[in-house]
Amino acid sequence: MRPRKVSDEAILAAALQALVETGGRASADTIAARLGVSQTALFKRFGSMDVIVSRALSQLMSGRDWRAVFGQKPDPARFHEQLGDIAKSMLEFTRCSLTAVEVMRGRVAFDKVEELLSRVGLPSLPQLTQDLEEWLALAAAAGLVAGARPALGDAFLGGLYHRFILEHMRDPAASPLSVDPRPLIELLFPHRAPPS
């Protein structure tokens, strides 16, 4: 009987799911059993469990650029839409970072988590916060925000995370993407016409 052929993507997806379900403590045997292959087959393909974990998290992060939403200057005609895009990006960042932290928490010392997260492509929250503050300063210079204060960016991010936590308490399976950022945007950034 020939061994079952399984793609790298299928292995990494199964690994990520098993790691999330076990708080990062899934073994190669567990992952192999889900796929109907041997542990030896996994290690022939990837070399070690650390490589499997790193590659699974890298696949989760691949193709994502959370900082890209800050690349466009605030546009008076699209300001609230841009804030909605920023909110979606930050909530997707939250989903991915919570998944990655959950996986790594069971595998590495807590003080190593941020270093490992950056290795798999996750930007730091302080960097994203700084990007938001700089973007809001540009919005203030354009007259779209009543003064750029770091607290405004903190309130925006904090409000998003608070709404996600409440949603998660109601439904533990809720995705951060189920949060509607519009009420928060309207509260913190009432529509203002730019100065003429």
Side-chain angles (χ1 to χ4, degrees):
M1 182 192 251
R2 294 170 64 77
R4 182 170 180 223
K5 294 206 179 226
V6 180
S7 70
D8 285 359
E9 291 78 18
I11 292 169
L12 297 174
L16 186 61
Q17 182 179 8
L19 289 162
V20 168
E21 289 170 3
T22 64
R25 291 178 284 283
S27 67
D29 283 332
T30 303
I31 297 164
R34 287 179 179 220
L35 295 164
V37 300
S38 70
Q39 175 183 342
T40 305
L42 290 181
F43 288 145
K44 272 187 182 176
R45 186 94 56 99
F46 292 99
S48 72
M49 191 61 191
D50 287 339
V51 172
I52 292 170
V53 171
S54 179
R55 293 266 315 268
L57 289 174
S58 292
Q59 183 173 320
L60 173 69
M61 307 303 170
S62 71
R64 300 182 195 311
D65 182 359
W66 289 279
R67 297 179 70 198
V69 293
F70 301 110
Q72 295 180 3
K73 290 185 178 182
D75 177 353
R78 297 186 51 244
F79 185 60
H80 278 193
E81 182 183 336
Q82 288 176 305
L83 286 166
D85 292 344
I86 289 169
K88 287 177 193 163
S89 183
M90 295 302 99
L91 290 166
E92 178 63 11
F93 167 81
T94 301
R95 183 187 71 79
C96 289
S97 60
L98 288 174
T99 299
V101 167
E102 184 66 24
V103 166
M104 294 209 182
R105 185 177 58 156
R107 302 198 65 77
V108 299
F110 188 75
D111 63 338
K112 301 282 186 206
V113 169
E114 188 165 343
E115 173 190 330
L116 291 170
L117 291 177
S118 70
R119 224 184 299 155
V120 298
L122 197 68
S124 72
L125 185 56
Q127 179 62 61
L128 289 173
T129 303
Q130 180 180 340
D131 291 345
L132 176 60
E133 289 169 1
E134 290 170 3
W135 192 85
L136 288 173
L138 291 173
L144 299 170
V145 174
R149 301 173 307 277
L152 190 58
D154 289 343
F156 184 54
L157 292 176
L160 288 172
Y161 298 142
H162 176 76
R163 291 180 63 90
F164 167 62
I165 289 167
L166 290 175
E167 185 71 24
H168 184 72
M169 289 173 74
R170 281 192 285 273
D171 177 8
S175 163
L177 300 178
S178 64
V179 172
D180 180 3
R182 289 176 299 188
L184 184 63
I185 291 169
E186 290 296 331
L187 176 69
L188 293 176
F189 306 99
H191 185 70
R192 294 171 44 110
S196 28

